[in-house]
Amino acid sequence: HYGGLTGLDKTETAAKHGEDQVKIWRRSYDVPPPPIDDSSEYNPAKDRRYKGIAVPPTESLKTTLERVLPYWNGAIAPKLAAGDNVLIAAHGNSLRAIVKHLFQVPDDAIVGVEMPTGNPLLIDLDAATLKPKSARYLDAARATALPPIPA
C-alpha cells in the first residue's frame, strides 16, 4: 500500500512532495513511500478485515513482489501449469509485480512500466515454463508499451 500517501490525491501529493518524488514512490522498485501514521484513519491495521494480520506501514514494489510471489507460486502457477485459464484482478502495484516477475523487468527499468487501469492484459504463457510467449492489451486504443518478452 502507499503508506503515508494513502488517502491523499495525486495532485496534492505532487504539490507537497514534488512530481519526481511521487513518481519514485509510485513506480520505483525498492523505494517505499513514507510509512502511514498509526493514528491515520486510513491505516489498514485499523480495518477489521485485517484483524490478526501484521500489515506493513508501507510497501515498495519489491515488498509487494515478495508478498505476491508466494501466492503466484502456490495458487496461480499450478492452475496455469494444469492448463487452466486464470483471470487476475488486483491492485495496480500487485499487477506490476507480476509483470516484473514474468517479463524479468530489471529493477531500474520498472519505473517506466505503466499499466492502464481497467484495460486487461492478456498474456499467453508457455505451458511448460510459464514464460510469456505473447502479450497484448484487450483495448488497443488505450494500450501502453509492454516490456519485451524475455528470450
Side-chain angles (χ1 to χ4, degrees), residues 35-46:
I36 196 163
D37 189 88
D38 288 340
S39 64
S40 170
E41 66 179 294
Y42 300 106
N43 189 337
K46 294 180 174 185

Side-chain angles (χ1 to χ4, degrees), residues 92-107:
N93 228 28
S94 300
L95 296 174
R96 286 179 73 241
I98 292 169
V99 164
K100 182 183 186 331
H101 172 69
L102 288 177
F103 290 84
Q104 300 172 9
V105 179
D107 296 353

Side-chain angles (χ1 to χ4, degrees), residues 105-131:
V105 179
D107 296 353
D108 62 343
I110 194 66
V111 71
V113 175
E114 294 285 338
M115 297 184 67
T117 301
N119 190 0
L121 175 59
L122 177 63
I123 304 173
D124 184 25
L125 299 173
D126 179 271
T129 64
L130 298 184
K131 302 276 185 208

